[in-house]
Structure formats: C-alpha cells, structure tokens
Amino acid sequence: MDNSTVEKILKEIERFEPKGNVEHVGRVVSVGDGVVAIDGLSKAVMSEIVEFEETKGKSLKKSFDAEGALYGLVLNLEEDGVRATILGDTARVSEGMTVKSTGRILSVPSGDELLGRVVNALGEPVDGKGPFKKATMMPVERESYGVIDRKGVSVPLATGIKAIDAMIPIGRGQRELIIGDRATGKTTVAIDTIINQKNEPEEKRPICIYVAIGQKESKTARIVQQLKDVDAFSYTIVVDAPASAPAALQFLAPFSGVAIGEYFMDKGRDVLIIYDDLSKQAVAYRELSLLLRRPPGREAYPGDIFYLHSRLLERAACLSDAKGGGSITALPIIETQEGDVSGYIPTNVISITDGQIFLIADLFNKGIRPAIDVGISVSRVGSAAQTKAMKSVAGGIKLELAQFRELEAFMQFASDLDKETADRIESGRRMVEVLKQKNGEPIPVERQVAAIYAANQKFFKDVPVNKVTVVERAFVDFLDANFAATLADIKKTGALSDDAKKKLGKGMEDFRVAHSEYFSLAK
C-alpha cells in the first residue's frame, strides 16, 4: 500500500472522528464505596484528575482546590470507560452526573512553606493555620531516578539510638525497614530519629516527613505535640491520612509524602521520610482494587501490590553531585502478626529495602528498649554509613550480642558453666544494659562512642547488672562536664584518635575514683 492510499484512509477516518471536546467528557453510570464507573472519557490516562461537574440544584463544596469543584482519580482504564476513586465525599456524586477530563496528573503542594505544618493526603493543610501561598506543585506519581543519576550511600544518618547507630547503621539515601509486632516500639524508633536531627548543624539537617497511614488521630496529635515540645517540629512535615479517611487517601498518602520530599531533594537537600505504616496502605490498596474489580491474588491482594511498594521506595535515593547531591532516606514501617516475617507483605518490603530493624515482643516485655533482634536485623549499607569513630568501637558488638543470646538460651539447660562462658554471658548482659535507652531521648554520636568505648574496655565489669544503665549515663554526663573538648573533637573529626582514647581512659579512671560506690563488685 503506497503512501497516498494511507493518507486517503486517514482522512476518511478523520471525517468520522467526533469533533470538539466530546472525547473528554463522560457520565457516571454507577457509584459506591468511593469508586465510580464512568462511561466515556476515551482519552483519559492513568492517575489523571477528572472533575465532577455541578448538577442543577446541587451545590458541591470545596474538596480539592480553590475552584470549589469535586475531583476523582482515574485508576482503571477499561474498554468502554474508566473507573475512578473519589477524592472527597462520595455522597456528592450521583448517577448521571457529567465528568470532565482535566488533562492534569494528581499533584500536591511542596516547599519551605510546608515545614512545621500538618497536611492531608492531597497536601491540603488540616492544622487550621491557613492555606499555602507560594507552594510548588509536585506530581504524586513520578519515575524514580536511574542508577546513573545516583551515587553510593556514604553519609551517616544518625538515629541517636545506640543499638542502631552501632550495629545497624543507616545512611542518607538508604531504605531501612522497621518491622515488628504491634506495640513493640516501631514508631518510637522513627520519632526518636526525627528528634535526633536537632543535633545536626542546621545546614546539614534533613527535612523530616512523617506520613501517618491509617493511624488514630489521637496518636498523630500526640506525636505532633511531642515534636513541638522538643523543638523538632520546625523542620518536620506531617502527612496525615487517619483511619477515618477513605481508602483512596490512605493509599495516596505515602506517594504524597515522597512527592513533597522530592521537591527538597531536587534542591540538593537531604530528606528523611517515615511511612507509618505500609501494612495499612497495602490493606487500603487491596480494598480499592477489589472495588475496582481487579482480580485478587494471594491473600486477596492484587497482583501489583509488590509494584505498589517498590515504585514508592525506589524514589528514595542519594543523588549524584551532577544532580545536586540531595537525598531521600526512607524508613518504612511494617506490622507483623506474632513475629511472622514470612508473611506476604513483610517479605515483599524486606526484598525491596536495604535492610531491616526487627523489633520483637519478648525483648520488649523484658524491658529491653529498643527491643532489637540483632540476629536478623541488618543494614546492607553497613559500616559505609558510619563515622570512623563509631566504626572503630562498634565492630564486634553485633557478634558479641548474637553469641550472648545463644549462650543465654543454652544457660537455661546447663547447671555448670566454665569460666569463659560465664564471663561472656556477664559481658553480654552488661552490653545489653549499655545499649538500653529511654524513649524520646536520642543521644549524640560522640556520647554514644564514649559509652561503647568504655563498655569495650570492660569499664562496667564491676558494676551490678541492674545499675549499668544508671552508671553509663552518669559516666557520659561526667565526660560532658570534664572532657567536653574530647567529645567535641570526636564530633568534629568523626574519628577516635589515640589522644582521644587516652583522654577517655583518663576520664574512666577519674570517674571510678570519684564514684567508687558504683563499682561494688570490684575485689
């Protein structure tokens, strides 16, 4: 067939194509549970915003933007129409209503204006402080940066939690999963990490984004108040999609959070984002998918549930210098049932992330906080995300604690222990106590290094196990008061020099002399 024939056929087809805006208008044929089936809209695209036009005698309240219109999000493209979820009150949509294509992809506002604010999953302020004036709109769905645009993770993101910074270090640009049963301290680890960023110089301090998905509003309000009380809210943004919110908003909230973060990353800044938690997002997405008539798979989740979380977490990155050097560090949270990490959603997210911090109920109930299982907790970035000082003192802790846990279990069945085993168990008990920490009290890295260095030097050997935590805190306070220059040097250089080791040794001797009452086991 020659070109002239092809052109004639195309012109003939054009004669029968509808003119004007006909293809961009549809009609609601059914509505229920926040999902609408729309007839028409043949040129709609995935994740496009559609507008429900006001019908005569029915007033539509403001739901999405200043125009006062009600909007929906296209999630299914079908042969004879589309299915969309309503971004607002389902009661305002009725059968027969006209729906118009907008040609816009869903976007949320971002910028410095959002710092210290609480927004919903659509980026609308919900804290009563008024609308944003100069925010930049960021697309909720965006392709993540490729390998060429990234660089290796090498700058530490200190959590202020000794057990994590020493054994499971997190780097800027990493994705580290926090996983465990309900009420084992997962959110506490994440919030302590936000609070600890106060210890960073202002020019290096990450922007923190906390995304609450399906949480009680009272819990989110308590977290906001806690951050305000310790002056950590000024560099934090809270995205709230509570349990009372529609499934569509709970599904969108993490994507809105990372879209807000990408604005800062593109400006060359560091971002820390916490998804609390992705288990509830998966449940919301399953609900949406079943309402959209997508075929269910394992545990009734749709086939693309893995893709949902992978395309979200892949947007966390450490950008190359050519791209500005910004980063997004993601700390997703997953809730397990009875410690089962082999469940469908937990295994999915474990395989996407760069390591996991596993919190277990047994340790939590014994009063060991944070209740980290060092056996299966891991950071795949490892010591690349540690300062030289921390690397030099933390090298053998994880192995020592793992051996201690095994010996502790064995000890229940053994009546007589040799001296080496008994000494290892006593040493392990004291290391566990040194790594204990109160909620909401993150510790600067230089103080962590001093405490762990002292533990490695068997400084707490003559301290009763139940007093180790008290002595460790008193010792670090003593160093802060009498050897502040040494701690400042460790913080500034990131290294533990020979001179610093000598000063810490002198500090241990002086503290032992000044507080001999603590060392009651000394012979």
Side-chain angles (χ1 to χ4, degrees):
M1 190 180 299
D2 60 20
N3 290 339
S4 59
T5 308
V6 172
E7 286 175 9
K8 284 179 183 177
I9 293 172
L10 290 175
K11 284 180 180 177
E12 198 64 26
I13 291 172
E14 283 176 11
R15 280 180 56 207
F16 294 98
E17 281 192 344
K19 297 293 185 290
N21 200 32
V22 176
E23 303 94 343
H24 303 293
V25 175
R27 183 176 56 85
V28 174
V29 293
S30 67
V31 57
D33 296 309
V35 170
V36 291
I38 302 167
D39 185 26
L41 293 180
S42 60
K43 292 195 175 182
V45 298
M46 280 293 285
S47 296
E48 184 182 354
I49 294 295
V50 293
E51 181 182 344
F52 297 93
E53 293 207 321
E54 186 175 355
T55 55
K56 190 175 181 181
K58 187 167 183 178
S59 174
L60 295 177
K61 297 178 185 176
K62 177 179 175 181
S63 171
F64 185 71
D65 63 13
E67 285 90 34
L70 182 68
Y71 287 81
L73 178 68
V74 174
L75 289 176
N76 265 25
L77 301 177
E78 299 172 356
E79 190 174 355
D80 55 350
V82 302
R83 287 183 188 269
T85 183
I86 302 164
L87 302 176
D89 186 2
T90 307
R92 294 187 231 149
V93 179
S94 58
E95 289 183 22
M97 185 179 281
T98 302
V99 187
K100 190 170 68 174
S101 176
T102 65
R104 290 190 283 133
I105 300 297
L106 180 62
S107 300
V108 293
S110 184
D112 290 313
E113 218 179 339
L114 272 72
L115 295 175
R117 299 293 300 270
V118 182
V119 300
N120 64 15
L122 299 174
E124 299 172 327
V126 291
D127 53 8
K129 294 181 182 177
F132 306 122
K133 296 174 183 175
K134 297 180 181 178
T136 302
M137 300 304 289
M138 299 292 293
V140 165
E141 291 276 6
R142 193 173 93 168
E143 191 176 342
S144 60
Y145 282 97
V147 175
I148 303 301
D149 296 325
R150 304 183 186 219
K151 65 180 178 182
V153 174
S154 59
V155 179
L157 184 125
T159 65
I161 300 168
K162 287 175 285 187
I164 294 176
D165 290 342
M167 297 184 291
I168 318 152
I170 299 171
R172 299 192 181 197
Q174 188 175 345
R175 300 154 299 179
E176 183 78 10
L177 172 64
I178 303 171
I179 185 169
D181 283 3
R182 184 176 173 274
T184 50
K186 301 184 297 297
T187 302
T188 299
V189 168
I191 297 305
D192 281 1
T193 304
I194 291 178
I195 294 171
N196 187 61
Q197 304 315 309
K198 273 196 318 179
N199 297 319
E200 294 288 336
E202 195 168 339
E203 66 276 6
K204 294 183 180 178
R205 184 181 297 156
I207 302 297
C208 299
I209 301 171
Y210 176 75
V211 184
I213 311 155
Q215 304 294 328
K216 291 179 183 174
E217 293 197 64
S218 59
K219 176 186 174 182
T220 306
R222 192 168 62 249
I223 288 169
V224 169
Q225 191 58 50
Q226 181 186 0
L227 294 173
K228 286 179 178 177
D229 290 344
V230 296
D231 196 26
F233 198 54
S234 59
Y235 54 84
T236 304
I237 301 165
V238 174
V239 180
D240 187 22
S244 58
L249 297 185
Q250 293 184 46
F251 149 67
L252 282 173
F255 291 99
S256 299
V258 75
I260 291 168
E262 281 174 335
Y263 168 85
F264 298 102
M265 180 174 70
D266 291 344
K267 298 278 186 186
R269 299 169 74 176
D270 294 315
V271 177
L272 167 65
I273 185 164
I274 289 142
Y275 304 111
D276 189 8
D277 64 58
L278 292 188
S279 305
K280 292 182 175 66
Q281 189 210 15
V283 169
Y285 187 60
R286 173 172 62 187
E287 181 184 331
L288 263 185
S289 296
L290 293 174
L291 290 169
L292 289 165
R293 304 288 189 265
R294 293 179 182 174
R298 179 175 162 184
E299 296 177 28
Y301 286 106
D304 66 338
I305 190 71
F306 181 91
Y307 178 55
L308 173 77
H309 287 149
S310 63
R311 78 175 189 267
L312 171 69
L313 293 170
E314 276 297 323
R315 289 164 75 174
C318 182
L319 296 186
S320 64
D321 294 336
K323 288 289 180 179
S327 71
I328 291 180
T329 307
L331 298 183
I333 295 174
I334 287 287
E335 186 178 303
T336 54
Q337 305 296 325
E338 296 295 326
D340 181 21
V341 293
S342 62
Y344 186 36
I345 301 301
T347 50
N348 275 356
V349 183
I350 285 172
S351 65
I352 296 164
T353 49
D354 306 315
Q356 67 274 348
I357 298 167
F358 185 41
L359 304 173
I360 54 177
D362 288 348
L363 292 179
F364 188 87
N365 295 332
K366 286 179 185 176
I368 298 171
R369 317 278 170 83
I372 296 173
D373 184 339
V374 296
I376 65 171
S377 296
V378 66
S379 170
R380 296 190 183 100
V381 173
S383 59
Q386 280 178 317
T387 62
K388 289 180 181 178
M390 183 60 83
K391 200 184 301 184
S392 66
V393 298
I397 295 180
K398 195 169 183 184
L399 180 60
E400 181 183 343
L401 283 182
Q403 289 174 338
F404 164 67
R405 295 272 179 243
E406 287 187 15
L407 290 171
E408 190 181 36
F410 170 74
M411 190 178 64
Q412 298 174 32
F413 308 102
S415 57
D416 190 27
L417 296 172
D418 62 87
K419 186 176 184 306
E420 184 184 349
T421 304
D423 287 348
R424 190 171 285 181
I425 287 172
E426 287 301 313
S427 176
R429 280 176 176 161
R430 283 162 175 76
M431 185 59 80
V432 167
E433 293 297 315
V434 167
L435 295 176
K436 277 186 180 178
Q437 204 164 319
K438 281 188 177 180
N439 295 349
E441 294 184 10
I443 300 169
V445 171
E446 65 275 13
R447 291 169 66 101
Q448 294 183 40
V449 169
I452 295 169
Y453 178 77
N456 289 341
Q457 300 300 312
K458 308 300 180 189
F459 177 64
F460 303 103
K461 181 177 66 174
D462 298 326
V463 179
V465 172
N466 62 345
K467 297 286 186 186
V468 168
T469 303
V470 175
V471 175
E472 179 260 334
R473 187 170 300 160
F475 169 64
V476 176
D477 288 341
F478 178 84
L479 289 178
D480 212 14
N482 299 282
F483 293 85
T486 303
L487 294 180
D489 184 61
I490 294 171
K491 180 178 182 178
K492 183 179 178 181
T493 63
L496 190 61
S497 64
D498 291 338
D499 182 58
K501 288 179 182 177
K502 286 179 185 175
K503 293 281 175 61
L504 290 178
K506 177 77 165 54
M508 285 187 266
E509 290 173 16
D510 292 354
F511 181 82
R512 197 177 183 104
V513 170
H515 300 279
S516 57
E517 71 277 8
Y518 287 137
F519 301 88
S520 58
L521 299 181
K523 295 178 182 176

